[in-house]
Amino acid sequence: LIMAGRNDYIASIDIGTDKIAVLVAEKEDDVRLRIIGNNISPSDGVRRGSISAIDSLSRAISKAVDQTQKSFDLEIGLVRVNLSDTHLTCIDGNGKIPINEIVTTDDVDKVLESASAITTPTNKEKLHTIKKKFIINGDHIVDNPKDMEAEVLESKVHIVTVSSASVRNIENCLKQCDLMVDRIVLDPIANSEAMLTQEEKDGGVCLIDFGAGVTSYSVFQEEGIVRSGIIPMGGDDVTQEVAFAFDTSFEEAKRLKEDYGYAKSSTIKGEQFVEFVQAANKDSHQLSNLQLSEVIEETYVDILLTLKNELRHHNLEANIKSGFVLCGGGAQAFGFEELVRKFFTRRVKIGVVQRDRISGLETILMDYRYASSIGLLLHQEDLPQTDFVMLKERNGVMGKIKKVLLNF
């Protein structure tokens, strides 16, 4: 029996509006992981990325975890989990200190501490404090300034705060499942760990994850992450619009969207007519895949417009020189890549999991539904969080796993 939670094993749970994805990996060496267990199950109790019913969700998570444990002969005790909070805020903290000739470890700690010293409102807490690049003497950007000659050292950190309620909800939910929280990671940050190369980040890139309930994004520039955001619209909104336009059920609309819909109607080669059932009279009707795709495209454009406005508001659109990387269920729609390319007039590609730090079955690595769980496994430790509360060890079966993975 393998215990996920010992220092050589690690488990992640991606809690989505539509699905729960569980992964377990073992440490091959200091850098690489190998996936040894996986499961995807339906989600429940999540609306627009946020927990709406703890009981329903904890039952869904327990089921997904149990199935993983049975199928792969594992015991999961400690997990990394994602969070989508539409009320998140991102702040860049700046630190600046004088240096006595050579930068010491102590100087680095001091400048980071000064950059991180930002007070948060009582109903919010810091989820991430991410170290960015350092600046020496006002103009020289470096990754690690230690032992370098300097008069002034500056540092920037990217601080993400989320509502305390959303963090407590996740902790309470996992507690009901007899699981302990190793760390909670913002969803777009987890995705970026799996999907983006350092080269893309340095060149200025925006990663967009089109989920069922929400669309999340993160923007990187040479200095590091500059912005994350979560838009409360996703694939379910597209389905809802189709249901409304053709007077059909949500399930039937989803089938039409996935089987016959295009995200960009002009990419349709030949018009075809599709049979479907209306909600009211159960008679069979026909619709054109062109009409269907026009409705789908309109809703996707609404989501992209919201994103564009956010990027403009934060003066980021011009800096996305490496273009856009797309992931999530919505990005699988026919013609979607083309739609985003035309909309932003930038380079666009569908994201693939970077293989330099993770291995496993190709069917898992290629499956877009696991991207966020893979990102959670790969997530590197942020700067230490003084106000981050970890779940206390309990006396349940999982509480007996003493070797908790803290400094993976």
Side-chain angles (χ1 to χ4, degrees), residues 159-406:
I159 297 167
V160 177
T161 67
V162 293
S163 80
S164 301
S166 64
V167 175
R168 295 296 86 74
N169 284 344
I170 282 186
E171 289 177 340
N172 292 336
C173 189
L174 290 174
K175 198 173 180 179
Q176 281 194 21
C177 304
D178 255 342
L179 295 168
M180 287 163 62
V181 178
D182 168 25
R183 70 179 71 151
I184 298 175
V185 182
L186 189 72
D187 200 45
I189 290 175
N191 280 317
S192 69
E193 293 276 2
M195 293 286 181
L196 298 179
T197 64
Q198 194 56 49
E199 199 180 326
E200 284 168 336
K201 289 178 181 179
D202 289 346
V205 72
C206 178
L207 174 70
I208 317 173
D209 175 17
F210 290 86
V214 294
T215 297
S216 67
Y217 68 92
S218 50
V219 181
F220 291 81
Q221 287 168 14
E222 191 189 356
E223 63 188 39
I225 186 165
V226 287
R227 176 94 203 145
S228 312
I230 291 170
I231 296 163
M233 295 166 80
D236 285 354
D237 293 86
V238 179
T239 308
Q240 204 61 65
E241 284 302 317
V242 171
F244 183 70
F246 301 105
D247 185 26
T248 186
S249 69
F250 187 85
E251 280 67 34
E252 181 70 334
K254 193 171 184 203
R255 179 185 75 85
L256 290 169
K257 176 186 87 170
E258 289 174 359
D259 294 352
Y260 305 101
Y262 282 73
K264 186 154 182 58
S265 50
S266 63
T267 57
I268 293 177
K269 296 286 183 280
E271 187 173 6
Q272 66 176 110
F273 288 86
V274 178
E275 294 219 341
F276 76 104
V277 177
Q278 282 194 327
N281 54 22
K282 298 292 179 221
D283 289 348
S284 190
H285 291 262
Q286 282 200 331
L287 64 84
S288 132
N289 62 346
L290 194 59
Q291 285 175 298
L292 170 67
S293 299
E294 280 165 359
V295 173
I296 292 169
E297 181 172 352
E298 205 174 303
T299 318
Y300 273 130
V301 168
D302 280 347
I303 298 172
L304 292 173
L305 204 52
T306 309
L307 172 61
K308 190 177 207 156
N309 290 338
E310 283 205 19
L311 295 174
R312 280 192 173 157
H313 178 70
H314 297 286
N315 298 320
L316 293 172
E317 199 188 358
N319 300 326
I320 300 170
K321 295 190 168 64
S322 292
F324 291 81
V325 177
L326 314 177
C327 63
Q332 312 306 311
F334 299 118
F336 190 70
E337 204 178 331
E338 187 58 28
L339 176 72
V340 180
R341 191 178 291 119
K342 284 277 194 306
F343 186 85
F344 283 107
T345 58
R346 287 284 199 294
R347 278 187 294 188
V348 174
K349 70 169 196 178
I350 301 288
V352 288
V353 168
Q354 300 303 311
R355 311 300 166 87
D356 49 341
R357 287 164 52 211
I358 196 147
S359 64
L361 286 174
E362 201 55 26
T363 47
I364 298 171
L365 296 172
M366 287 298 290
D367 190 335
Y368 71 89
R369 297 173 303 171
Y370 283 114
S372 202
S373 311
I374 290 172
L376 286 167
L377 294 176
L378 294 174
H379 182 257
Q380 307 277 348
E381 194 84 84
D382 296 333
L383 292 172
Q385 214 68 283
T386 45
D387 55 358
F388 188 78
V389 184
M390 245 192 90
L391 278 181
K392 299 288 178 281
E393 191 173 293
R394 299 175 319 288
N395 300 322
V397 184
M398 302 309 170
K400 294 191 180 112
I401 297 172
K402 295 281 190 257
K403 279 177 150 183
V404 293
L405 165 72
L406 286 171

